[in-house]
Amino acid sequence: MSLSARANILSRLRAGLGKSSPLTKGSDQGSVAHYNWSESEKIEHFIEVISGVKGEVHRVSESNWPEAVQTLLSDRGIDRLLVSEEKQTGKRLIGSTLELIPTTGFDERKDELFFSIPASLTTAQSAIAETGSLVLWPDEQEPRSMSLVPPVHLVLLRAQDIHGTLADVIRAEGWARGMPTNALLISGPSKTADIARILAYGAHGPKELIILLVS
Amino acid sequence: MPEQIPMQNLSFNQRVDRDLNNPALRTHFREAMDFLMDKRSHSFTDDEKLQSLRELGSSIRKRALSKLPDLLEQLENKLRDNGIRVHWAESSKEANQIVLDIAQHHGAKTMIKGKSMVSEETELNECLEQEGIHPVEADMGEYILQLAKEKPSHIVMPAIHKSKEDIAKLFEQNLDDCEYTEDVDTLIQAARKELRKQFHSADIGLTGVNFMVAETGSLVLVENEGNGRLATTVPKVHIAMTGIEKVTEYLDDLPPLLTLLTNSATGQAITTYVNIISSPRKGGEGGPEEVHLVLLDNGRTIPFADEEMRQTLQCIRCAACMNHCPVYTRLGGHAYGATYPGPIGSILSPHLLGLEATKDLPSASSLCGACSEVCPVKIPITDLLRRLRHEGVRKLKKDEEPVIRGHGAKYTHTEKLAWGSWSKLYSSPALYRTFAFSASMMRGLTPSKMKGWTDYRTTPKPAEKSMHALIKQHRKARKGEPL
């Protein structure tokens, strides 16, 4: 069935096009907005936009961010954290008062992930100033459910990794050459307005998104 | 809100009557549409930039459609290289069968669903249930509708017709340990808790797709809640379902379309999540072991074959046209009786379902043009509505192939005769004057009730003297006076 469906659909489409010639990118009209932001303007804009959708941004330094993580979590009464033991995030937290839950063999621990992990810390690959978005490319150390299932998601972002727009990130990081299994843009905690247009946070994903902006 | 009679049992006019006479529903839609229009206008503050972006969005979509078969093949090759399996379906039935086969192959009992209007179009849930597979809608709006056994009334906010009170009652009746409350946070947390259990145990995740990128073989999903991310991350198998038109050529085409989509739909610069999937899991990074894509035609190749109607397929499903439509705002979505309501539905549904079943939809518009004005990809919706009206009443020329199923569905001899006489009358001065004179003479015979007209208006009684007669009289009286 599916082989003939494929052939039928494609042949109907080809017949539909007739002799018309395909359009090329060169003939595109219109344009996107351009920004001439300085480095500090990008940072300011990113903070402003993501704060507007309830992303919590804390400016920290390379030396004090582990301390900030501990304080932020203890303020929330959280003493356990899901974090990669291989990445710098996990390594720098060794010796803290937090119980660190490693990400190895994560797949075997779906019950734990779903029902007992209170918070996670991942790194962000980059970020977008225009839309206040974090860019995450999940990998073996930081699997994709880490930024999705725990109710509190902390993200470590370096200020120099903030780009102007998504188009800038795609170009700068060469996305078109090869995409990862899953690339994510995250702009704020999970939310919904499906009940009477009233905004509620923590629909299915994290209820809180905390960004540690390192500069 | 009064009991909703299944829409398939009512005619279009009956549905319109039912919903227009529901003041609560009308207030609800008025407020909701005002809210959404306001959100959009606050996010597009610079009109010059907006127009330039719409121009680009339209170009990108037109370019993709101008090479659609090639792009679909490129996409298929890329996806296959990436490890994603591609299936093609000519009809809803075929698409549902493909999903069912995959589910049965895995011995699946439950399917957790992210929002997918295409699965609404194919009525997948009904098909799965018949085969003993339990689908659970996870988008909050869709979840509410599944509990209420209703259909979406809006393509972006499916449960927009339900009040907080309706939902509070539904949750009280259907969810464990959920007491009646109108506190939205509490309601959402109750649904979250229930759906988390479903996500944890579901065998298969099924979602729609917002964009497909041929260049990289990627599926792009846009959402705020995280249901799409969970459905594409937690279960072992992910099935994505979408229409063949949703492909773009380059990854660079994605940013402008995303900006247009989210700002037009809900006035957001971007949604909480943009989820770009390019392969099944590789090792320990998580995600499903199998990813399938079902590409659906279901009548889309029909408008594709006509250069003007092909523009219908530029649509990126933002719903701005319905949010700005005075007819949709008054009727709500259910009166249209199709999966896609509002202006886009009125130009798309006739192709998916045939004009016979949808003949009233192209006329369900005042042609005010608000839809075309806000469309982010510049679909000339009003031109297409007029074209469909024409196709609905036009007789085919000798040897002419119909461009749409159900062509001429609205053709009636009476209407043809009426317009034929009208045209003769109005193009012959002698005939026209005779007609006007006799109408004035016989004005006493005007019936006091004229079906349809006198329900809301007074009887259109001809004047004692026609305009022509009055002018003649006036000229006669002023004869001799200088002009």
Side-chain angles (χ1 to χ4, degrees):
Chain A
M1 182 164 69
S2 72
L3 272 181
S4 71
R6 180 183 187 280
N8 292 344
I9 293 170
L10 287 173
S11 82
R12 274 201 295 275
L13 289 175
R14 293 218 154 89
L17 282 177
K19 292 192 180 72
S20 66
S21 44
L23 298 169
T24 58
K25 206 170 163 60
S27 61
D28 281 1
Q29 304 285 308
S31 64
V32 290
H34 285 285
Y35 307 95
N36 291 314
W37 284 324
S38 66
E39 291 304 307
S40 65
E41 281 169 334
K42 275 187 222 166
I43 297 171
E44 276 163 37
H45 203 85
F46 170 79
I47 296 174
E48 190 189 320
V49 180
I50 202 161
S51 304
V53 290
K54 220 180 159 239
E56 196 181 305
V57 183
H58 297 274
R59 302 204 64 165
V60 291
S61 69
E62 199 59 68
S63 63
N64 75 1
W65 71 256
E67 203 181 317
V69 169
Q70 280 193 72
T71 316
L72 286 164
L73 289 175
S74 78
D75 285 352
R76 286 167 173 77
I78 295 171
D79 54 6
R80 304 169 69 230
L81 179 69
L82 180 66
V83 64
S84 159
E85 64 277 34
E86 306 221 350
K87 292 210 173 179
Q88 210 210 3
T89 41
K91 286 183 179 160
R92 289 279 306 272
L93 282 166
I94 293 172
S96 76
T97 54
L98 292 162
E99 179 193 333
L100 303 180
I101 308 161
T103 55
T104 1
F106 198 56
D107 283 338
E108 312 307 316
R109 302 176 357 232
K110 198 159 140 191
D111 286 350
E112 190 190 353
L113 169 71
F114 261 74
F115 305 114
S116 73
I117 291 178
S120 65
L121 169 65
T122 69
T123 42
Q125 164 159 308
S126 48
I128 301 164
E130 184 190 34
T131 53
S133 310
L134 297 160
V135 178
L136 269 70
W137 281 24
D139 56 24
E140 296 223 6
Q141 278 74 48
E142 291 178 343
R144 62 210 242 192
S145 47
M146 248 182 114
S147 60
L148 177 63
V149 184
V152 178
H153 177 209
L154 293 98
V155 187
L156 195 68
L157 170 69
R158 296 211 154 65
Q160 70 264 27
D161 295 331
I162 302 177
H163 298 260
T165 62
L166 172 59
D168 294 342
V169 176
I170 289 175
R171 217 167 302 126
E173 297 180 357
W175 287 23
R177 286 197 301 271
M179 290 293 283
T181 303
N182 187 212
L184 292 165
L185 308 184
I186 299 180
S187 314
S190 150
K191 62 173 180 271
T192 184
D194 272 357
I195 299 184
R197 310 184 305 282
I198 296 165
L199 196 56
Y201 287 93
H204 288 296
K207 296 170 189 179
E208 288 187 79
L209 178 71
I210 304 169
I211 297 126
L212 298 143
L213 184 58
V214 182
S215 50
Chain B
M1 198 181 295
E3 188 82 11
Q4 297 266 309
I5 302 161
M7 52 192 179
Q8 61 269 30
N9 299 345
L10 294 176
S11 72
F12 176 72
N13 285 334
Q14 285 172 317
R15 290 193 301 267
V16 169
D17 267 350
R18 179 196 65 189
D19 293 351
L20 279 181
N21 287 310
N22 182 341
L25 189 74
R26 289 187 59 175
T27 310
H28 209 72
F29 269 97
R30 175 82 265 165
E31 287 173 359
M33 298 306 110
D34 284 347
F35 170 83
L36 288 166
M37 284 192 285
D38 200 45
K39 295 282 272 180
R40 176 186 174 277
S41 68
H42 277 95
S43 73
F44 287 130
T45 46
D46 184 330
D47 191 59
E48 212 172 296
K49 281 184 185 153
L50 168 62
Q51 297 317 329
S52 190
L53 189 60
R54 288 176 73 223
E55 199 68 62
L56 178 60
S58 170
S59 295
I60 290 172
R61 293 298 298 134
K62 277 188 200 297
R63 169 157 52 81
L65 293 175
S66 81
K67 46 182 97 164
L68 185 59
D70 292 346
L71 287 189
L72 285 169
E73 283 184 319
Q74 187 191 351
L75 174 79
E76 185 187 38
N77 288 334
K78 269 282 168 192
L79 287 170
R80 203 177 39 214
D81 291 348
N82 296 351
I84 294 178
R85 298 180 209 183
V86 181
H87 310 262
W88 303 68
E90 287 189 84
S91 64
S92 290
K93 206 176 151 211
E94 276 186 22
N96 291 345
Q97 190 59 48
I98 291 165
V99 175
L100 193 62
D101 288 345
I102 299 169
Q104 286 173 338
H105 173 77
H106 288 276
K109 291 274 173 289
T110 54
M111 188 177 286
I112 191 92
K113 289 179 69 196
K115 190 164 167 292
S116 157
M117 285 308 292
V118 167
S119 77
E120 292 283 352
E121 177 187 332
T122 67
E123 300 188 322
L124 175 69
N125 287 5
E126 289 80 350
C127 160
L128 292 172
E129 274 159 8
Q130 276 172 16
E131 301 296 326
I133 295 167
H134 180 48
V136 179
E137 296 286 352
D139 170 80
M140 291 293 177
E142 290 279 358
Y143 179 62
I144 291 162
L145 295 183
Q146 194 177 23
L147 294 178
K149 299 187 172 59
E150 284 178 26
K151 297 276 182 191
S153 59
H154 189 272
I155 61 170
V156 170
M157 305 190 81
I160 203 154
H161 61 285
K162 305 295 275 180
S163 71
K164 206 164 46 176
E165 295 77 15
D166 294 334
I167 297 163
K169 271 183 232 156
L170 265 177
F171 280 18
E172 185 193 13
Q173 288 158 5
N174 291 283
L175 268 64
D176 296 338
D177 315 319
C178 185
E179 284 172 19
Y180 184 92
T181 172
E182 288 174 19
D183 180 68
V184 171
D185 277 318
T186 314
L187 290 170
I188 291 295
Q189 290 312 307
R192 173 189 171 108
K193 200 175 150 206
E194 178 58 34
L195 288 165
R196 276 268 163 140
K197 286 187 262 174
Q198 308 281 356
F199 275 118
H200 179 261
S201 63
D203 301 308
I204 292 183
L206 186 133
T207 66
V209 176
N210 293 93
F211 302 104
M212 307 184 281
V213 183
E215 181 184 24
T216 55
S218 305
L219 310 176
V220 184
L221 278 74
V222 173
E223 55 150 348
N224 286 310
E225 296 181 356
N227 64 77
R229 280 192 66 199
L230 281 163
T232 58
T233 300
V234 182
K236 282 196 156 48
V237 180
H238 167 215
I239 305 172
M241 248 181 138
T242 197
I244 48 172
E245 79 280 19
K246 288 256 180 96
V247 64
T248 61
E249 188 173 13
Y250 301 111
L251 190 62
D252 277 345
D253 294 335
L254 183 63
L257 291 180
L258 272 178
T259 307
L260 284 165
L261 173 63
T262 63
N263 283 284
S264 301
T266 50
Q268 289 176 271
I270 198 165
T271 47
T272 303
Y273 301 117
V274 175
N275 180 8
I276 310 176
I277 297 164
S278 305
S279 83
R281 70 184 302 159
K282 300 176 197 132
E285 66 197 351
E289 286 159 16
E290 269 180 36
V291 180
H292 297 263
L293 172 69
V294 182
L295 289 170
L296 178 68
D297 175 354
N298 200 29
R300 287 164 173 80
T301 43
I302 299 168
F304 187 83
D306 180 282
E307 211 179 325
E308 185 183 23
M309 296 206 277
R310 189 180 303 153
Q311 297 173 99
T312 311
L313 303 174
Q314 285 169 218
C315 177
I316 56 172
R317 303 285 189 271
C318 71
C321 60
M322 54 196 80
N323 300 344
H324 289 76
C325 176
V327 176
Y328 175 90
T329 303
R330 281 159 184 81
L331 292 183
H334 286 152
Y336 292 83
T339 305
Y340 306 97
I344 184 62
S346 296
I347 58 168
L348 179 64
S349 308
H351 300 293
L352 307 186
L353 304 165
L355 252 184
E356 190 67 54
T358 56
K359 57 175 183 269
D360 294 310
L361 296 184
S363 318
S365 163
S366 67
L367 299 181
C368 76
C371 49
S372 315
E373 212 170 286
V374 296
C375 176
V377 289
K378 299 183 80 169
I379 302 172
I381 300 178
T382 41
D383 294 348
L384 294 169
L385 284 166
R386 282 202 318 236
R387 173 75 192 279
L388 286 168
R389 288 182 187 185
H390 189 214
E391 297 298 335
V393 295
R394 190 170 68 90
K395 275 237 157 153
L396 288 176
K397 290 178 204 124
K398 198 166 168 277
D399 298 328
E400 190 188 351
E401 286 289 325
V403 288
I404 184 164
R405 280 180 291 163
H407 175 101
K410 257 205 143 172
Y411 178 89
T412 63
H413 289 304
T414 326
E415 195 176 355
K416 177 85 181 161
L417 197 70
W419 286 115
S421 317
W422 183 88
S423 143
K424 279 209 182 73
L425 193 63
Y426 278 72
S427 52
S428 149
L431 258 180
Y432 180 81
R433 286 197 179 132
T434 318
F435 166 76
F437 179 73
S438 18
S440 303
M441 287 293 104
M442 292 189 281
R443 61 194 290 270
L445 300 174
T446 315
S448 61
K449 290 229 179 297
M450 293 168 88
K451 198 178 172 299
W453 185 269
T454 50
D455 288 351
Y456 304 102
R457 309 170 186 88
T458 53
T459 315
K461 205 171 187 178
E464 270 179 63
K465 281 187 174 152
S466 72
M467 178 71 93
H468 276 123
L470 285 173
I471 293 171
K472 217 169 178 180
Q473 195 180 350
H474 182 73
R475 280 192 179 148
K476 209 169 170 184
R478 296 182 59 166
K479 207 171 179 187
E481 284 180 29
L483 282 170

